[in-house]
Amino acid sequence: MPKISIRGHEMPESPIRKLAPLAAAAKKRGTKVYHLNIGQPDLPTPQEGLNALKNIDRTILEYSPSQGYLSYREKLVGYYKKFNINVSADDIIITAGGSEAVLFSFLACLNPGDEIIVPEPAYANYMAFAISAGAKIRTIATTIEEGFSLPKVEKFEELINERTRAIMICNPNNPTGYLYTRREMNQIRDLVKKYDLYLFSDEVYREYIYTGSPYISACHLEGIEENVVLIDSVSKRYSECGIRIGALITKNAEVRAAVMKFCQARLSPPLIGQLVAEASLDAPEEYHRDVYDEYVERRKCLVDGLNRIPGVYSPIPMGAFYTVAKLPVDDAEKFCRWCLESFEYEGATVMMAPAAGFYTTPGAGINQVRIAYVLKKDDLEKALIVLRKALEAYPGHIMED
Amino acid sequence: MPKISIRGHEMPESPIRKLAPLAAAAKKRGTKVYHLNIGQPDLPTPQEGLNALKNIDRTILEYSPSQGYLSYREKLVGYYKKFNINVSADDIIITAGGSEAVLFSFLACLNPGDEIIVPEPAYANYMAFAISAGAKIRTIATTIEEGFSLPKVEKFEELINERTRAIMICNPNNPTGYLYTRREMNQIRDLVKKYDLYLFSDEVYREYIYTGSPYISACHLEGIEENVVLIDSVSKRYSECGIRIGALITKNAEVRAAVMKFCQARLSPPLIGQLVAEASLDAPEEYHRDVYDEYVERRKCLVDGLNRIPGVYSPIPMGAFYTVAKLPVDDAEKFCRWCLESFEYEGATVMMAPAAGFYTTPGAGINQVRIAYVLKKDDLEKALIVLRKALEAYPGHIMED
């Protein structure tokens, strides 16, 4: 029997999805599972998007252009303008989710063996896409104690060598909820310029910034316009994870031409998703305000609740809808498994994403979890009680000094 | 400015889509363009699929499982059974079109530098996906003169070395319309077994076989069950190219586990497409018969018409909805460009896919085109007249000896 590829072995399992079979088994036993593990928003898709779906009046569900529909790309120009991101429809390539945008960025820009610097903890699938492209992620540590702020320039420069081709950031950050400051973004800009790197910037959570601090897009940085590749997605913005519509945006014509060859090979992005996403751009301000207000409340409920549990610590996330929390346990993955396999409180348990899967440094994040606040406040409160009870009962509980 | 990757340079432009800007310019000038270049069926999507779309009653368009919905995979089991392909729902992984199934097969099974043997002419995007995975396609020539039948075993064995990992076929074939005989399939089976290779088999055109010859699926071959990876798609079967739903099917659990890691990284296949594809399985026999009968007529109309044009030769395609035809021209790509840029007859011109893009052997297919018969018979007849007139007028016309 032929062997699978080395990268097939090296590909990480998703830290978010790999415990799914245990959750399924728990549900089968009749246990209610509070899903704190996955960034699947529970808030409704905009009515405008749902209406577009209802009103599709086609007899053939045909290919769309490899770059995505022009009408959608033109409408996106106005959306980005609201965030002071000035792009033309030609700068935008529609992809099957932000995922495909990351994969195609890596395939088009990086050679096997090339290195990308990513602050860790990081969205685990960056690692998967890097392995797919034969590239190597070099992580630069940020710590929960320092609230996940970026380390000094020198730490970056220690990692930079002749194989370094890119820096990748997620801002606001998944999994930490961190928002990069202007000073940090300028620091990244200077590094990108000095070493002539690509800057891949995943900014799919720009709608969710809670601190009044400014959103500094990679596209706002002057002097590196041709180095920036913006990764975007409508998944979180409109609760449209399932339609698989994202975008890759760059002013670099050579990168676009290369990416387009990968786009042509996969023929086209999803047709129906584009129709829904285009219509969703017409969602009223009220939709965004309601969603935003809801997350503001949940964030407070979750983070306050976590920090009230003895031994638990979560910094206050500034954006997105995740936080990384430290738990008083020997090993957070063991604890997460135990919650699903061996624990329930009043018929319920919690599912969280062990944070070690978001780090590459061995041992880092071993006692941390990523928690998504995509549950109703009532459910979040109940989940917090279950978590507290689980920590009390867990055999691997570690008492604080 | 940082450089794009080597594979970004090496990726071929789609021979089917690269002339699209010329076609757009011709249309802008008011010229009607008969699209013989692309396999975009013009026949309607089944009403069952369209109804499912209309009846989607969800408030959140959420992620689906990375492997695809179980209900859809279970229903597919019955579909495959009709073709004597016995698989379980667990053997099936739903992908974003057949394209993603090919890409993930290559990523999961092939190391950089590994070789895949593919009969040429071949679907051009196999090359693109191989480059994406760092693998190398070694083509084995089939010729228009021999009707694109497979060469003897010895020709395959000449190509096999320690880097050879797989054979890839498309059956019925895109671009040639060739259908592999039982003898040819057994020959492939013996090679796969002898050298312990993967057999990637793209069988998305199984509904379209016109000769009464049996459809021999790679899944019918005994003794290589764990070597076979079946590539499938609903795009052509139901005129649903735009929903981006395909499948990767294998009895090899190790391959499935590796592929699933790539699936988890891209989170999920399109949600709405799955709902449409699942409902389309309920299309009545009549739908398939009508579509089939239509292609039978078009095939006759096109191939007879082509062979009546002086200097043009097309073998009779046995399946799919393409044929490769030899034209009396110096260079088919130049001719195709010229048709779009400099020619019209009664306000119309034709767009075809230059066949050289389906070959890797330099010079092979230089005077051939791929023609898709996805136009109404009336339009096909008009397109044939335009083609004849274009050949007469083309400065690079080559008179037969």
Side-chain angles (χ1 to χ4, degrees), chain A residues 1-14 17-18 38-45 50 53-66 99 103 106-112 123 125 128-129 132-134 165 196-198 226-227 235-236 239-244 252 254-255 258 261-262 264-273 276, chain B residues 1-14 17-18 38-45 50 53-66 99 103 106-112 123 125 128-129 132-134 165 196-198 226-227 235-236 239-244 252 254-255 258 261-262 264-273 276:
Chain A
M1 205 169 74
K3 289 193 173 46
I4 65 160
S5 67
I6 294 166
R7 83 189 126 219
H9 280 292
E10 285 179 349
M11 280 285 284
E13 278 187 285
S14 163
R17 294 185 168 228
K18 74 177 172 183
I38 196 163
Q40 164 62 60
D42 63 323
L43 299 174
T45 300
L50 297 171
L53 190 57
K54 282 249 171 293
N55 295 333
I56 289 172
D57 194 25
R58 295 177 180 231
T59 54
I60 309 179
L61 301 176
E62 76 273 19
Y63 288 124
S64 62
S66 298
S99 304
L103 177 63
F106 288 2
L107 287 173
C109 297
L110 305 174
N111 287 315
Y123 180 59
N125 290 327
F129 296 126
S132 299
R165 283 290 171 280
D196 198 26
L197 305 175
Y198 286 110
E226 302 257 310
N227 303 62
S235 293
K236 315 293 167 154
S239 291
E240 290 173 354
C241 299
I243 66 172
R244 313 309 300 132
N252 186 317
E254 206 194 357
V255 170
K261 293 198 270 182
F262 294 92
Q264 287 188 347
R266 64 76 163 117
L267 304 170
S268 66
L271 157 75
I272 303 169
V276 172
Chain B
M1 205 168 73
K3 287 192 174 47
I4 65 161
S5 66
I6 294 165
R7 83 190 127 217
H9 280 292
E10 285 178 350
M11 281 283 284
E13 278 188 286
S14 163
R17 293 184 168 229
K18 74 177 172 182
I38 195 163
Q40 163 63 60
D42 63 323
L43 299 175
T45 299
L50 297 172
L53 190 59
K54 281 249 170 293
N55 295 332
I56 288 172
D57 193 24
R58 298 180 176 230
T59 54
I60 309 179
L61 301 176
E62 76 274 19
Y63 288 125
S64 63
S66 299
S99 304
L103 177 63
F106 288 2
L107 287 172
C109 298
L110 305 174
N111 288 316
Y123 180 57
N125 289 328
F129 297 126
S132 300
R165 284 288 170 281
D196 198 24
L197 305 175
Y198 285 111
E226 302 255 310
N227 303 61
S235 293
K236 315 292 168 154
S239 291
E240 289 173 354
C241 299
I243 66 172
R244 312 310 301 131
N252 187 317
E254 206 193 357
V255 170
K261 293 198 271 182
F262 294 92
Q264 287 188 347
R266 63 77 162 118
L267 304 170
S268 66
L271 157 75
I272 303 169
V276 172

Side-chain angles (χ1 to χ4, degrees), chain A residues 297-314:
Chain A
E297 276 210 54
R298 291 176 180 189
R299 165 176 169 265
K300 180 165 170 51
C301 163
L302 175 73
V303 178
D304 285 354
L306 284 172
N307 285 320
R308 271 198 301 266
I309 301 175
V312 174
Y313 168 64
S314 164

Side-chain angles (χ1 to χ4, degrees), chain A residues 271-285:
Chain A
L271 157 75
I272 303 169
Q274 287 179 82
L275 303 178
V276 172
E278 183 172 337
S280 299
L281 283 166
D282 293 328
E285 271 311 303

